[in-house]
Amino acid sequence: NEVMDEINRINQALPNTGFWEKNEEIQEWMRSVIRRLNLYKTEHHQILKEATTLLELALWKANLDDNEGGEREGVRTTRGSRKRARKEICVTSGASIVIKNVLPFLVLKS
């Protein structure tokens, strides 16, 4: 694990570091750990954005599948009316409510 290796690196470096250089070694190690953590936070944020989009699309698709049977037999539907119905389902799919309640469990705390 990269993170554990980086954390353990300081334990291996300090015993071999002179008294006057220890402070500088620790500061450089801390900067390295902070850079890596910031990289992981950025990656997490990107993955979270993708997951949110996928969740929204999945909810919309599930709602479309549920409402697809709403067409009446013998009644002609136009492409425009289907498009409006799909847009309405997108707006009323509940994705914004679900995402608003799921996101707090996935967001990293500062």
Side-chain angles (χ1 to χ4, degrees):
N1 185 333
E2 292 177 33
V3 175
M4 291 308 293
D5 290 344
E6 185 62 27
I7 290 172
N8 288 327
R9 185 178 67 80
I10 194 68
N11 294 329
Q12 296 167 0
L14 283 181
N16 302 323
T17 305
F19 178 77
W20 298 108
E21 293 86 24
K22 285 188 192 272
N23 186 36
E24 187 176 320
E25 182 72 28
I26 291 170
Q27 287 180 354
E28 177 55 39
W29 174 78
M30 288 173 56
R31 283 190 289 271
S32 172
V33 169
I34 290 169
R35 275 192 306 271
R36 191 163 297 218
L37 288 174
N38 286 334
L39 174 69
Y40 290 144
K41 283 182 182 180
T42 301
E43 288 176 2
H44 177 79
H45 181 72
Q46 182 62 35
I47 291 168
L48 194 59
K49 281 175 46 177
E50 291 173 13
T52 303
T53 301
L54 286 173
L55 178 59
E56 185 175 13
L57 289 171
L59 290 168
W60 182 38
K61 170 113 174 58
N63 224 336
L64 277 175
D65 291 345
D66 288 347
N67 291 313
E68 206 168 67
E71 294 179 8
R72 295 182 307 229
E73 192 175 315
V75 176
R76 184 170 175 258
T77 57
T78 64
R79 190 179 317 158
S81 66
R82 281 194 302 265
K83 190 174 181 179
R84 283 190 297 278
R86 288 173 65 90
K87 189 170 186 169
E88 176 65 26
I89 290 170
C90 179
V91 172
T92 61
S93 70
S96 61
I97 296 166
V98 172
I99 289 171
K100 183 178 81 174
N101 290 306
V102 169
L103 218 49
F105 294 100
L106 303 175
V107 173
L108 295 173
K109 296 187 177 27
S110 297

